[in-house]
Each structure stands twice: as structure tokens, then as C-alpha cells.
Amino acid sequence: MTDKPAESDCPRDPILRVVPRPADINANGHIFGGWVLSQMDIAGGIVAGRVAQGAVATVAIETMEFIAPILLRDIISLYAHVERRGRTSLAIRIEVIATRDGGRTEERVTEGVFTFVALDENHRPRALPPA
Ligand SMILES: CC(C)(COP(=O)(O)OP(=O)(O)OC[C@H]1O[C@@H](n2cnc3c(N)ncnc32)[C@H](O)[C@@H]1OP(=O)(O)O)[C@@H](O)C(=O)NCCC(=O)NCCS
């Protein structure tokens, strides 16, 4: 892991917007952590795949913090940007924002850094294209 990302690698628009469904709720009335994690993996994979210009695989979750609960009827926005770039790998920081109360309230609910590796046709690491 070496280079810092360019400013243009940090989008201001969400990569994904999703709404949890009743089946995604746990016994506390909160959304399952595993559901959020999977949405983050999808959002991070979209950004990593764009930068890698091809297939990527998640190799590690460096950090994952559940800051506040996600509730039914929240709208979840996922923002993702390249935090570090290596030879074959990318660390992607993913932030999850919940919008609730009919759009009046926004809260940062989850944040994490996922590492993706660019893959070749043999499912082995491939050098990233030049930045
Ligand atoms: C991804 C995979 C091909 C990497 O293979 P590998 O033999 O570990 O490859 P390498 O040791 O050459 O490492 C490749 C890159 O990943 C990074 N990496 C490997 N393990 C890592 C870890 N645990 N945490 C962070 N980075 C890691 C290395 O630092 C290297 O980065 P760099 O080239 O930018 O320096 C292999 O681990 C794999 O197939 N894993 C399963 C992927 C998967 O199924 N994911 C879930 C579904 S997408």
C-alpha cells in the first residue's frame, strides 16, 4: 500500500442508496450488522472495480464500526472512496448515512475500510492500471 488517492477519487454522491426490509431486522428492532456489511461490500466493490477496470475480490475488512443503529424505514446511503492504493490492492473507506424522519434527520451509522484485490482470469492478483 503506497499512494494517496487523487481528489477525484472521492465522490460526493452516494454509490448506493438502499432501504432495509422487515426481514433484515433483528430482535432489538435494529437492522442486522451482516446486512449492512454486505451493502458496504457491494458499494466498495463497485468503486474498486471501476479503479481496477476489472474483477476484484474482497480480501480483508480492516475496520468496521457500528456507530448507531439502522432502523426500519431509514434510507441508507453508502459513500465510498479510495483511501490507499497498492500494487494490486485498494483500501476503500465506506461510510453509511441513514436518512430518517421523512428526510429531516441524517445520521452516520456505520463506517469501515475494506481491502479489495484486482484479479486476473486465473483469480490471482493483477497489477492495478496506472492511476
Ligand atoms: C484475493 C487473493 C487472490 C489474494 O491472494 P494472495 O495470495 O493473498 O495475494 P498476495 O499475497 O499477492 O496479496 C495481494 C495483495 O493483497 C494484499 N493483501 C493480502 N492479504 C491481505 C490482508 N489480509 N489484508 C490486507 N491486504 C491484504 C497484499 O498486501 C497485496 O497488496 P499489494 O499488491 O497492493 O501490495 C486470495 O486471498 C483470495 O482469493 N481470497 C478470497 C477472495 C474472496 O473470495 N473474497 C470474498 C468474495 S469477493
Side-chain angles (χ1 to χ4, degrees):
M1 290 285 178
T2 47
D3 301 343
K4 280 285 209 184
E7 189 71 27
S8 59
D9 287 337
C10 304
R12 297 205 173 97
D13 293 330
I15 302 298
L16 280 183
R17 275 212 173 101
V18 281
V19 177
R21 302 170 70 90
D24 304 319
I25 278 195
N26 67 20
N28 304 323
H30 302 162
I31 300 305
F32 281 111
W35 180 87
V36 189
L37 191 148
S38 108
Q39 303 305 318
M40 293 170 80
D41 197 25
I42 292 167
I46 291 171
V47 172
R50 281 181 192 157
V51 175
Q53 295 173 24
V56 294
T58 314
V59 73
I61 297 175
E62 286 182 34
T63 65
M64 179 85 190
E65 190 183 359
F66 295 99
I67 301 157
I70 298 175
L71 309 171
L72 202 58
R73 290 190 288 278
D74 285 354
I75 298 171
I76 305 306
S77 302
L78 294 102
Y79 297 81
H81 67 266
V82 178
E83 180 153 287
R84 288 195 315 277
R85 205 186 146 101
R87 194 183 78 80
T88 66
S89 70
L90 291 159
I92 308 286
R93 180 171 292 275
I94 304 143
E95 277 184 274
V96 185
I97 307 290
T99 304
R100 52 183 67 130
D101 302 328
R104 287 189 295 278
T105 313
E106 282 201 337
E107 185 168 14
R108 194 166 62 101
V109 287
T110 312
E111 185 165 347
V113 177
F114 289 42
T115 308
F116 295 86
V117 176
L119 297 180
D120 67 16
E121 59 280 5
N122 298 313
H123 309 276
R124 293 301 304 156
R126 159 178 67 85
L128 293 169

